[in-house]
Amino acid sequence: MSTKTRRRRPEARPDEILDAALSVFVEQGFTAARVEDIAKRAGLSKGAVYLYFPSKEAMLKALVEQSAGALAKAAERLISVGAPRDPEAALRGVIFMMITAMTDPDISAAPRLVLTEAHRFPDIAAHYRDQVLETARRAIETLAADGVEAGTFRPVDADMLMRCIGGPCLGHMMLASAFDFHPKNLREPVDVADALSDLLLHGLKPREDARCD
Amino acid sequence: MSTKTRRRRPEARPDEILDAALSVFVEQGFTAARVEDIAKRAGLSKGAVYLYFPSKEAMLKALVEQSAGALAKAAERLISVGAPRDPEAALRGVIFMMITAMTDPDISAAPRLVLTEAHRFPDIAAHYRDQVLETARRAIETLAADGVEAGTFRPVDADMLMRCIGGPCLGHMMLASAFDFHPKNLREPVDVADALSDLLLHGLKPREDARCD
DNA sequence: TGCAACTAACTGACCGGTCAGTTATTAAAT
DNA sequence: ATTTAATAACTGACCGGTCAGTTAGTTGCA
């Protein structure tokens, strides 16, 4: 019911406000973001957002918890599914998913926000680290172990692999969002993901064994 | 402290103020940073910093230009030197240098600042992109071409290689600085750099040819 | 059906604190 | 005595958060 008039059942309000808050926070940064702008973008007055959230910081925390929950769940799913059959395909899938997510400004907004604000909110940083990063690390560890067992991966350090998968995705995103700096030839997300997967799997040095893929 | 008394030749002041500004900006973010805190850290009163900089934003711009200039110069040097002899050693050197720099909070401070503030200052973003990123890309391109010519690298996309070198370094730094998240086994920068170099050079898949390293 | 009485949702003016930037003044060095 | 470096007090704009008041919608009752 899109009542143009005053809301009767305003249970959607908190999410509307959080959507608006996320976009303003990402654009302006948390400190420079004005609650009045958030309100305007959500179609309310400033006073009204304080009916739903006790403070600006509470909106930030709610956003972070939302995002962390979703990411942690995704990582947990990766762990529980595992990839004993085809670790390479699983790795390619993860990379494609990450590049796709990072390329979409809406999806990458919350992680970007966390990345830029975490160090000033120690509890947010700790929450994200424990919920998301540790879980992601375990997911990578599982994937790597499955690959080694299947003989398709050689053993490598999990933290390094994590940084070698997430780092390029992160870099790709930050270069685009902060500097508007894009690859010259790799135009589509799928091309970026494939190039990353290939480089990660086969390495920079040529293979003496003829078979590469 | 040299002169407890009033300075006669204050030509060192601008740099002292910029040092203080950098540390406060990185800790608090540009908007939340208070000029009075910068002044205090530089050992001055607030009014005095306005004798050297016309505004808070001018300090930010000066910092960015300083950092961008240094980084651009470093990248230019990489290009002009080239690495036709031993591209692998050159790559390992670049990676070691980057990991070392990113691990030092003082050295990585300015890039971190740029990364978090660039998107709100389009001219800063453009400047950094044109001065630093484009030059770095060319440096990587040169290195990759030298490697291919020498037969030690296979041809890969320069933008991808750039993201695969810089991304993990960036990720490593951000995980540490924002989340206090560190590798479990790779304790020293040199170990991180070696692990990254190895993974990048040899890939995740086992080599059928016995020789690795 | 019409009409009070009531409530939920919202508004916007306002208050108080903060902080970038200014200025009147002081003090050291020459 | 003059100039220069610096300060401390000040100004004014801005913004997070509050709250008295308004309006839209609901309920009870005739």
Side-chain angles (χ1 to χ4, degrees):
Chain A
M1 199 78 53
S2 56
T3 52
K4 205 68 213 160
T5 79
R6 190 155 304 217
R7 292 293 164 107
R8 274 287 56 226
R9 315 284 15 249
E11 54 263 351
R13 278 294 193 223
D15 279 345
E16 293 173 356
I17 294 171
L18 286 185
D19 283 353
L22 178 57
S23 72
V24 178
F25 286 163
V26 164
E27 275 174 33
Q28 307 290 333
F30 174 76
T31 308
R34 291 162 55 213
V35 175
E36 179 139 22
D37 287 344
I38 295 171
K40 204 158 285 175
R41 213 168 284 199
L44 276 78
S45 68
K46 182 167 72 148
V49 339
Y50 284 96
L51 298 173
Y52 298 94
F53 294 94
S55 69
K56 188 164 90 157
E57 194 170 325
M59 298 183 232
L60 177 63
K61 296 233 160 101
L63 279 169
V64 171
E65 251 143 64
Q66 211 175 58
S67 163
L71 290 176
K73 215 156 115 183
E76 294 280 11
R77 195 159 42 242
L78 279 183
I79 295 174
S80 69
V81 166
R85 296 307 176 87
D86 192 343
E88 178 175 334
L91 179 74
R92 298 189 103 100
V94 167
I95 288 176
F96 176 72
M97 196 200 63
M98 289 189 68
I99 287 290
T100 306
M102 298 290 215
T103 303
D104 183 327
D106 289 341
I107 301 178
S108 67
R112 255 152 59 214
L113 177 63
V114 171
L115 208 65
T116 53
E117 305 290 348
H119 72 123
R120 295 212 295 125
F121 298 91
D123 49 338
I124 287 182
H127 183 252
Y128 218 78
R129 184 184 59 232
D130 299 343
Q131 294 276 307
V132 179
L133 297 178
E134 294 286 3
T135 313
R137 205 203 102 106
R138 273 172 31 231
I140 295 284
E141 211 163 23
T142 305
L143 178 60
D146 285 349
V148 170
E149 187 150 0
T152 49
F153 296 165
R154 65 193 180 87
V156 299
D157 181 86
D159 287 297
M160 193 72 256
L161 184 56
M162 179 182 181
R163 283 159 178 75
C164 279
I165 294 172
C169 296
L170 178 70
H172 183 67
M173 176 189 76
M174 294 304 290
L175 289 179
S177 68
F179 302 104
D180 198 35
F181 185 81
H182 304 275
K184 309 260 185 297
N185 301 312
L186 303 171
R187 289 282 170 51
E188 297 302 314
V190 61
D191 299 325
V192 177
D194 283 346
L196 174 54
S197 299
D198 284 337
L199 186 47
L200 230 49
L201 284 164
H202 301 119
L204 188 53
K205 298 182 88 172
R207 304 238 157 197
E208 267 83 25
D209 57 301
R211 180 182 14 72
C212 273
D213 198 314
Chain B
M1 207 64 59
S2 45
T3 53
K4 200 74 217 152
T5 81
R6 193 156 304 220
R7 280 287 164 118
R8 271 291 56 223
R9 314 283 11 252
E11 55 264 350
R13 280 290 194 225
D15 280 344
E16 293 172 358
I17 294 171
L18 286 184
D19 284 353
L22 178 57
S23 73
V24 178
F25 285 164
V26 164
E27 275 173 34
Q28 307 290 333
F30 175 75
T31 309
R34 290 162 55 213
V35 174
E36 176 132 26
D37 287 344
I38 296 171
K40 203 158 287 176
R41 214 169 284 198
L44 273 77
S45 69
K46 181 168 74 147
V49 337
Y50 284 95
L51 297 173
Y52 299 93
F53 294 94
S55 69
K56 187 163 92 157
E57 195 169 324
M59 298 182 231
L60 177 64
K61 298 234 161 101
L63 279 169
V64 172
E65 251 142 66
Q66 210 174 60
S67 163
L71 290 176
K73 214 155 115 183
E76 293 281 12
R77 194 159 41 242
L78 279 183
I79 296 174
S80 68
V81 167
R85 296 309 176 85
D86 194 342
E88 177 174 335
L91 179 73
R92 298 188 102 102
V94 168
I95 288 176
F96 176 72
M97 195 200 64
M98 290 189 66
I99 287 289
T100 305
M102 298 290 216
T103 303
D104 182 326
D106 289 341
I107 301 178
S108 67
R112 255 151 60 215
L113 177 63
V114 171
L115 208 66
T116 53
E117 305 290 348
H119 71 122
R120 296 211 296 124
F121 298 90
D123 48 338
I124 286 183
H127 182 251
Y128 218 78
R129 184 185 59 232
D130 299 343
Q131 294 277 307
V132 180
L133 298 178
E134 295 285 4
T135 312
R137 206 203 100 107
R138 274 172 29 231
I140 296 282
E141 212 165 23
T142 305
L143 178 60
D146 285 349
V148 170
E149 187 150 0
T152 48
F153 297 164
R154 65 192 180 89
V156 299
D157 182 86
D159 287 297
M160 193 72 257
L161 184 57
M162 180 183 180
R163 283 160 178 75
C164 279
I165 294 172
C169 296
L170 178 71
H172 183 67
M173 175 188 77
M174 294 303 291
L175 290 179
S177 68
F179 302 104
D180 197 34
F181 185 82
H182 303 276
K184 309 260 185 299
N185 302 312
L186 303 171
R187 289 283 170 52
E188 296 303 314
V190 60
D191 300 325
V192 177
D194 283 346
L196 173 54
S197 299
D198 284 338
L199 186 46
L200 229 49
L201 284 165
H202 301 119
L204 188 52
K205 297 181 88 173
R207 302 239 159 195
E208 267 82 24
D209 56 302
R211 183 187 3 76
C212 277
D213 190 323

